[in-house]
Amino acid sequence: MKYILLVCFCFFAGIGLAQKMQCACGTDSNLNEIIDCKSTIFKNGARLYWQFNCDSSWLTFKAVNGRKRILFSLDSSLMELTGRLGYIYAAEYKYVFLIRQNLISGCCDPPEFILFNKNTGRQKSLLGRLVFYSHDSKYPIVISLGPNSNSLIIFNVDTHKKYSIALPRGRLSKSIKLSFFSAPELLFDNDLIKGDSLVLKYQYKTTAKKDWLYSKILIDLKK
């Protein structure tokens, strides 16, 4: 699905650009119900919020010093997909916040993820697809698949420590070929945090005719 992304990574400062928050369209009341302009307030006092008028919607980061940065925008033809297409707030950690980027508004391509600096709103790193990310800042962990989907890459976004866990070679890539799934990340369908451990569950196939099998991986979140 094609869509227009209007992304600006420039600060807006000064009295001339200190505009009042916009959160309404007089000619389309439906947008007022679709787009939520309530701020997400980070622990450092910075804010993240949507604004919109009748021409576009845009996601704004506001630093503690009042400076603003537009992270993402949708034009009038796609405004009704605000919150489903493009940037969606995911989680806050000690130094950064995580944005989920939906490349399509529905099924079935996995989203991609981006880390942003929590003080400046600047993009820090592109993480790509993930199989897990923590909603709890106590465990600042994101997990992705390694080369050829033969391993899990566990990354601590606060300490930048990274390590991998091997998966059975070829299991996930073979399962994709034997199924309707478009990406191996979609094979992971459940996760559970127990104490300081994460239990990841994924499904796989050995032959096209056999039912799905399931496997669990135990990950130490304090490692």
Short mmCIF file of all heavy atoms in Angstrom, two decimals, residues 1-7 25 28 30-32 34-36 50-59 72-88 101-106:
data_model
loop_
_atom_site.label_atom_id
_atom_site.label_comp_id
_atom_site.label_asym_id
_atom_site.label_seq_id
_atom_site.Cartn_x
_atom_site.Cartn_y
_atom_site.Cartn_z
N MET A 1 0.85 -1.19 0.00
CA MET A 1 0.00 0.00 0.00
C MET A 1 0.88 1.24 0.00
O MET A 1 1.81 1.36 0.79
CB MET A 1 -0.88 0.00 1.25
CG MET A 1 -1.72 1.27 1.39
SD MET A 1 -2.74 1.21 2.87
CE MET A 1 -3.53 2.78 2.74
N LYS A 2 0.62 2.15 -0.89
CA LYS A 2 1.42 3.36 -0.96
C LYS A 2 0.78 4.44 -0.10
O LYS A 2 -0.41 4.61 -0.04
CB LYS A 2 1.51 3.85 -2.41
CG LYS A 2 2.26 2.89 -3.33
CD LYS A 2 2.38 3.47 -4.72
CE LYS A 2 3.14 2.54 -5.63
NZ LYS A 2 3.26 3.07 -6.99
N TYR A 3 1.64 5.19 0.57
CA TYR A 3 1.14 6.31 1.33
C TYR A 3 2.20 7.39 1.37
O TYR A 3 3.37 7.14 1.12
CB TYR A 3 0.71 5.92 2.74
CG TYR A 3 1.78 5.24 3.56
CD1 TYR A 3 2.62 5.98 4.38
CD2 TYR A 3 1.93 3.86 3.53
CE1 TYR A 3 3.58 5.37 5.14
CE2 TYR A 3 2.90 3.24 4.29
CZ TYR A 3 3.71 4.01 5.09
OH TYR A 3 4.67 3.39 5.85
N ILE A 4 1.77 8.58 1.70
CA ILE A 4 2.67 9.71 1.71
C ILE A 4 3.12 9.97 3.13
O ILE A 4 2.32 10.10 4.04
CB ILE A 4 1.98 10.97 1.16
CG1 ILE A 4 1.53 10.71 -0.29
CG2 ILE A 4 2.91 12.18 1.23
CD1 ILE A 4 0.71 11.84 -0.86
N LEU A 5 4.43 10.02 3.33
CA LEU A 5 4.98 10.33 4.63
C LEU A 5 5.62 11.69 4.57
O LEU A 5 6.45 11.96 3.71
CB LEU A 5 6.05 9.30 5.04
CG LEU A 5 5.61 7.84 5.11
CD1 LEU A 5 6.77 6.99 5.55
CD2 LEU A 5 4.46 7.67 6.07
N LEU A 6 5.25 12.54 5.45
CA LEU A 6 5.84 13.86 5.54
C LEU A 6 6.58 13.92 6.86
O LEU A 6 5.98 14.12 7.90
CB LEU A 6 4.77 14.95 5.48
CG LEU A 6 3.85 14.90 4.26
CD1 LEU A 6 2.77 15.96 4.40
CD2 LEU A 6 4.64 15.09 2.99
N VAL A 7 7.87 13.66 6.82
CA VAL A 7 8.64 13.59 8.04
C VAL A 7 9.61 14.74 8.10
O VAL A 7 10.33 14.99 7.15
CB VAL A 7 9.43 12.27 8.12
CG1 VAL A 7 10.17 12.17 9.43
CG2 VAL A 7 8.49 11.10 7.94
N CYS A 25 -11.18 19.64 13.19
CA CYS A 25 -11.49 19.95 11.79
C CYS A 25 -12.97 20.27 11.73
O CYS A 25 -13.82 19.40 11.95
CB CYS A 25 -11.14 18.78 10.88
SG CYS A 25 -11.65 19.03 9.16
N ASP A 28 -15.09 18.13 9.15
CA ASP A 28 -15.14 16.67 9.25
C ASP A 28 -15.09 16.29 10.74
O ASP A 28 -14.02 16.05 11.31
CB ASP A 28 -13.96 16.03 8.50
CG ASP A 28 -14.10 14.51 8.39
OD1 ASP A 28 -14.97 13.94 9.09
OD2 ASP A 28 -13.33 13.89 7.63
N ASN A 30 -15.87 13.61 12.09
CA ASN A 30 -15.45 12.23 12.29
C ASN A 30 -13.99 12.16 12.73
O ASN A 30 -13.60 11.30 13.53
CB ASN A 30 -15.64 11.44 11.01
CG ASN A 30 -15.39 9.96 11.19
OD1 ASN A 30 -15.87 9.34 12.15
ND2 ASN A 30 -14.63 9.36 10.28
N LEU A 31 -13.18 13.09 12.24
CA LEU A 31 -11.76 13.11 12.60
C LEU A 31 -11.58 13.41 14.08
O LEU A 31 -10.63 12.94 14.71
CB LEU A 31 -11.02 14.14 11.77
CG LEU A 31 -10.88 13.85 10.28
CD1 LEU A 31 -10.26 15.04 9.56
CD2 LEU A 31 -10.05 12.60 10.06
N ASN A 32 -12.50 14.19 14.64
CA ASN A 32 -12.41 14.53 16.06
C ASN A 32 -12.55 13.30 16.95
O ASN A 32 -12.05 13.26 18.07
CB ASN A 32 -13.48 15.55 16.44
CG ASN A 32 -13.37 16.83 15.62
OD1 ASN A 32 -12.28 17.20 15.19
ND2 ASN A 32 -14.50 17.49 15.39
N ILE A 34 -11.71 10.13 15.75
CA ILE A 34 -10.65 9.18 15.37
C ILE A 34 -9.31 9.54 16.00
O ILE A 34 -8.59 8.66 16.50
CB ILE A 34 -10.51 9.13 13.84
CG1 ILE A 34 -11.78 8.54 13.21
CG2 ILE A 34 -9.29 8.32 13.43
CD1 ILE A 34 -11.77 8.56 11.70
N ILE A 35 -8.96 10.82 15.99
CA ILE A 35 -7.62 11.24 16.39
C ILE A 35 -7.61 11.73 17.83
O ILE A 35 -8.32 12.68 18.18
CB ILE A 35 -7.09 12.34 15.45
CG1 ILE A 35 -7.13 11.85 13.99
CG2 ILE A 35 -5.67 12.74 15.84
CD1 ILE A 35 -6.74 12.90 12.98
N ASP A 36 -6.82 11.08 18.65
CA ASP A 36 -6.71 11.43 20.06
C ASP A 36 -5.49 12.35 20.26
O ASP A 36 -4.36 11.95 19.98
CB ASP A 36 -6.54 10.15 20.89
CG ASP A 36 -6.52 10.42 22.39
OD1 ASP A 36 -6.63 11.59 22.79
OD2 ASP A 36 -6.39 9.44 23.16
N TRP A 50 -0.43 14.00 19.16
CA TRP A 50 -0.93 14.25 17.81
C TRP A 50 -1.61 15.61 17.76
O TRP A 50 -2.23 16.04 18.73
CB TRP A 50 -1.94 13.17 17.39
CG TRP A 50 -1.30 11.90 16.94
CD1 TRP A 50 -1.09 10.77 17.68
CD2 TRP A 50 -0.78 11.63 15.64
NE1 TRP A 50 -0.47 9.81 16.92
CE2 TRP A 50 -0.26 10.30 15.66
CE3 TRP A 50 -0.68 12.36 14.45
CZ2 TRP A 50 0.33 9.71 14.55
CZ3 TRP A 50 -0.10 11.78 13.35
CH2 TRP A 50 0.40 10.47 13.40
N GLN A 51 -1.53 16.23 16.59
CA GLN A 51 -2.32 17.41 16.27
C GLN A 51 -2.90 17.19 14.88
O GLN A 51 -2.40 16.39 14.09
CB GLN A 51 -1.47 18.68 16.27
CG GLN A 51 -0.86 19.03 17.61
CD GLN A 51 -0.16 20.38 17.58
OE1 GLN A 51 -0.79 21.42 17.69
NE2 GLN A 51 1.15 20.34 17.42
N PHE A 52 -3.96 17.93 14.58
CA PHE A 52 -4.53 17.83 13.23
C PHE A 52 -5.42 19.02 12.93
O PHE A 52 -5.93 19.70 13.82
CB PHE A 52 -5.32 16.52 13.06
CG PHE A 52 -6.63 16.47 13.80
CD1 PHE A 52 -7.82 16.80 13.16
CD2 PHE A 52 -6.69 16.07 15.13
CE1 PHE A 52 -9.04 16.74 13.84
CE2 PHE A 52 -7.88 16.01 15.82
CZ PHE A 52 -9.07 16.35 15.16
N ASN A 53 -5.58 19.27 11.64
CA ASN A 53 -6.57 20.20 11.13
C ASN A 53 -7.25 19.51 9.95
O ASN A 53 -7.21 18.28 9.87
CB ASN A 53 -5.93 21.55 10.75
CG ASN A 53 -4.76 21.37 9.79
OD1 ASN A 53 -4.73 20.43 8.99
ND2 ASN A 53 -3.79 22.27 9.87
N CYS A 54 -7.85 20.24 9.07
CA CYS A 54 -8.56 19.60 7.96
C CYS A 54 -7.62 19.16 6.83
O CYS A 54 -8.05 18.46 5.90
CB CYS A 54 -9.62 20.54 7.39
SG CYS A 54 -10.94 20.92 8.58
N ASP A 55 -6.35 19.54 6.91
CA ASP A 55 -5.41 19.24 5.84
C ASP A 55 -4.46 18.09 6.15
O ASP A 55 -4.01 17.39 5.25
CB ASP A 55 -4.55 20.48 5.52
CG ASP A 55 -5.40 21.63 5.00
OD1 ASP A 55 -6.32 21.37 4.21
OD2 ASP A 55 -5.14 22.78 5.39
N SER A 56 -4.15 17.87 7.42
CA SER A 56 -3.18 16.83 7.77
C SER A 56 -3.22 16.56 9.27
O SER A 56 -3.79 17.32 10.06
CB SER A 56 -1.77 17.25 7.36
OG SER A 56 -1.35 18.41 8.07
N SER A 57 -2.58 15.46 9.66
CA SER A 57 -2.35 15.15 11.07
C SER A 57 -0.85 14.98 11.25
O SER A 57 -0.16 14.52 10.35
CB SER A 57 -3.10 13.88 11.48
OG SER A 57 -2.66 12.76 10.75
N TRP A 58 -0.34 15.34 12.44
CA TRP A 58 1.09 15.23 12.64
C TRP A 58 1.40 14.91 14.09
O TRP A 58 0.73 15.35 15.01
CB TRP A 58 1.80 16.51 12.20
CG TRP A 58 1.36 17.78 12.88
CD1 TRP A 58 1.96 18.40 13.94
CD2 TRP A 58 0.22 18.59 12.55
NE1 TRP A 58 1.28 19.54 14.29
CE2 TRP A 58 0.20 19.69 13.45
CE3 TRP A 58 -0.78 18.51 11.57
CZ2 TRP A 58 -0.77 20.67 13.40
CZ3 TRP A 58 -1.76 19.49 11.53
CH2 TRP A 58 -1.75 20.55 12.44
N LEU A 59 2.43 14.08 14.27
CA LEU A 59 2.88 13.65 15.60
C LEU A 59 4.00 14.58 16.05
O LEU A 59 5.03 14.72 15.37
CB LEU A 59 3.38 12.21 15.54
CG LEU A 59 3.83 11.59 16.87
CD1 LEU A 59 2.67 11.52 17.86
CD2 LEU A 59 4.41 10.20 16.63
N PHE A 72 6.30 12.92 12.37
CA PHE A 72 5.59 12.18 11.31
C PHE A 72 4.31 12.91 10.96
O PHE A 72 3.71 13.58 11.81
CB PHE A 72 5.28 10.77 11.82
CG PHE A 72 4.53 9.90 10.85
CD1 PHE A 72 5.18 9.21 9.85
CD2 PHE A 72 3.15 9.78 10.93
CE1 PHE A 72 4.49 8.42 8.96
CE2 PHE A 72 2.45 8.99 10.06
CZ PHE A 72 3.12 8.31 9.06
N SER A 73 3.87 12.78 9.72
CA SER A 73 2.62 13.43 9.30
C SER A 73 1.93 12.61 8.23
O SER A 73 2.57 11.89 7.46
CB SER A 73 2.93 14.83 8.76
OG SER A 73 1.75 15.47 8.33
N LEU A 74 0.60 12.71 8.22
CA LEU A 74 -0.22 12.11 7.17
C LEU A 74 -1.05 13.22 6.53
O LEU A 74 -1.57 14.10 7.21
CB LEU A 74 -1.17 11.06 7.76
CG LEU A 74 -0.54 9.77 8.28
CD1 LEU A 74 -1.58 8.93 9.01
CD2 LEU A 74 0.06 8.97 7.14
N ASP A 75 -1.18 13.18 5.19
CA ASP A 75 -1.96 14.21 4.53
C ASP A 75 -3.45 13.91 4.61
O ASP A 75 -3.87 12.90 5.18
CB ASP A 75 -1.49 14.40 3.08
CG ASP A 75 -1.78 13.20 2.18
OD1 ASP A 75 -2.61 12.36 2.55
OD2 ASP A 75 -1.17 13.11 1.10
N SER A 76 -4.26 14.78 4.05
CA SER A 76 -5.71 14.69 4.22
C SER A 76 -6.31 13.40 3.68
O SER A 76 -7.33 12.93 4.19
CB SER A 76 -6.38 15.89 3.53
OG SER A 76 -6.05 15.94 2.15
N SER A 77 -5.68 12.80 2.68
CA SER A 77 -6.22 11.57 2.10
C SER A 77 -6.04 10.36 3.01
O SER A 77 -6.69 9.33 2.82
CB SER A 77 -5.57 11.29 0.75
OG SER A 77 -4.18 11.00 0.90
N LEU A 78 -5.14 10.48 4.01
CA LEU A 78 -4.84 9.34 4.88
C LEU A 78 -5.08 9.64 6.36
O LEU A 78 -4.81 8.80 7.21
CB LEU A 78 -3.38 8.92 4.69
CG LEU A 78 -3.02 8.38 3.30
CD1 LEU A 78 -1.52 8.25 3.15
CD2 LEU A 78 -3.69 7.03 3.07
N MET A 79 -5.60 10.81 6.65
CA MET A 79 -5.77 11.20 8.05
C MET A 79 -6.65 10.26 8.86
O MET A 79 -6.45 10.08 10.07
CB MET A 79 -6.35 12.61 8.12
CG MET A 79 -5.37 13.71 7.78
SD MET A 79 -6.20 15.30 7.68
CE MET A 79 -6.88 15.48 9.33
N GLU A 80 -7.60 9.63 8.21
CA GLU A 80 -8.49 8.71 8.93
C GLU A 80 -7.75 7.46 9.42
O GLU A 80 -8.28 6.71 10.23
CB GLU A 80 -9.66 8.31 8.04
CG GLU A 80 -10.64 9.44 7.77
CD GLU A 80 -11.89 8.97 7.06
OE1 GLU A 80 -11.97 7.77 6.72
OE2 GLU A 80 -12.80 9.79 6.85
N LEU A 81 -6.52 7.27 8.94
CA LEU A 81 -5.71 6.13 9.36
C LEU A 81 -4.73 6.51 10.47
O LEU A 81 -3.88 5.70 10.86
CB LEU A 81 -4.94 5.55 8.17
CG LEU A 81 -5.80 4.99 7.03
CD1 LEU A 81 -4.91 4.51 5.89
CD2 LEU A 81 -6.68 3.85 7.53
N THR A 82 -4.84 7.72 10.98
CA THR A 82 -3.98 8.15 12.08
C THR A 82 -4.11 7.20 13.26
O THR A 82 -5.22 6.90 13.70
CB THR A 82 -4.35 9.58 12.53
OG1 THR A 82 -4.20 10.48 11.44
CG2 THR A 82 -3.44 10.04 13.68
N GLY A 83 -2.99 6.70 13.75
CA GLY A 83 -3.01 5.73 14.84
C GLY A 83 -3.00 4.30 14.36
O GLY A 83 -2.82 3.37 15.16
N ARG A 84 -3.17 4.11 13.06
CA ARG A 84 -3.11 2.77 12.47
C ARG A 84 -2.03 2.65 11.42
O ARG A 84 -1.49 1.57 11.19
CB ARG A 84 -4.46 2.39 11.86
CG ARG A 84 -5.56 2.14 12.89
CD ARG A 84 -6.82 1.64 12.22
NE ARG A 84 -7.46 2.68 11.43
CZ ARG A 84 -8.22 2.45 10.37
NH1 ARG A 84 -8.39 1.21 9.93
NH2 ARG A 84 -8.79 3.45 9.73
N LEU A 85 -1.71 3.75 10.76
CA LEU A 85 -0.69 3.78 9.72
C LEU A 85 0.43 4.71 10.13
O LEU A 85 0.19 5.80 10.65
CB LEU A 85 -1.31 4.27 8.40
CG LEU A 85 -0.36 4.39 7.20
CD1 LEU A 85 0.14 3.02 6.77
CD2 LEU A 85 -1.06 5.09 6.04
N GLY A 86 1.66 4.29 9.91
CA GLY A 86 2.78 5.15 10.25
C GLY A 86 3.18 5.05 11.70
O GLY A 86 3.14 3.97 12.30
N TYR A 87 3.55 6.16 12.31
CA TYR A 87 4.11 6.18 13.65
C TYR A 87 3.06 6.02 14.75
O TYR A 87 2.04 6.70 14.76
CB TYR A 87 4.84 7.50 13.90
CG TYR A 87 6.20 7.59 13.25
CD1 TYR A 87 6.57 6.75 12.19
CD2 TYR A 87 7.13 8.53 13.67
CE1 TYR A 87 7.80 6.85 11.59
CE2 TYR A 87 8.38 8.64 13.08
CZ TYR A 87 8.71 7.80 12.03
OH TYR A 87 9.94 7.90 11.46
N ILE A 88 3.37 5.11 15.69
CA ILE A 88 2.52 4.87 16.86
C ILE A 88 3.43 4.72 18.07
O ILE A 88 4.41 3.95 18.02
CB ILE A 88 1.67 3.59 16.68
CG1 ILE A 88 0.79 3.70 15.43
CG2 ILE A 88 0.81 3.33 17.92
CD1 ILE A 88 0.16 2.40 15.03
N GLN A 101 6.29 1.65 13.71
CA GLN A 101 5.93 2.18 12.40
C GLN A 101 5.16 1.12 11.60
O GLN A 101 5.74 0.15 11.12
CB GLN A 101 7.17 2.61 11.61
CG GLN A 101 6.82 3.21 10.25
CD GLN A 101 8.05 3.61 9.46
OE1 GLN A 101 9.17 3.24 9.79
NE2 GLN A 101 7.84 4.38 8.41
N ASN A 102 3.87 1.32 11.50
CA ASN A 102 3.04 0.42 10.69
C ASN A 102 3.18 0.81 9.22
O ASN A 102 2.79 1.92 8.83
CB ASN A 102 1.58 0.51 11.11
CG ASN A 102 1.31 -0.23 12.41
OD1 ASN A 102 2.17 -0.93 12.93
ND2 ASN A 102 0.11 -0.07 12.95
N LEU A 103 3.70 -0.10 8.42
CA LEU A 103 3.92 0.19 7.01
C LEU A 103 2.63 0.05 6.21
O LEU A 103 2.51 0.61 5.12
CB LEU A 103 5.00 -0.74 6.45
CG LEU A 103 6.35 -0.64 7.17
CD1 LEU A 103 7.34 -1.64 6.58
CD2 LEU A 103 6.90 0.77 7.11
N ILE A 104 1.69 -0.71 6.74
CA ILE A 104 0.35 -0.81 6.16
C ILE A 104 -0.64 -0.69 7.31
O ILE A 104 -0.28 -0.88 8.48
CB ILE A 104 0.13 -2.14 5.40
CG1 ILE A 104 0.34 -3.33 6.34
CG2 ILE A 104 1.07 -2.23 4.20
CD1 ILE A 104 0.03 -4.66 5.68
N SER A 105 -1.88 -0.38 6.99
CA SER A 105 -2.87 -0.15 8.05
C SER A 105 -3.55 -1.42 8.54
O SER A 105 -4.23 -1.41 9.55
CB SER A 105 -3.94 0.83 7.55
OG SER A 105 -4.64 0.29 6.44
N GLY A 106 -3.37 -2.52 7.83
CA GLY A 106 -4.02 -3.76 8.24
C GLY A 106 -3.05 -4.93 8.19
O GLY A 106 -1.87 -4.79 8.46
#
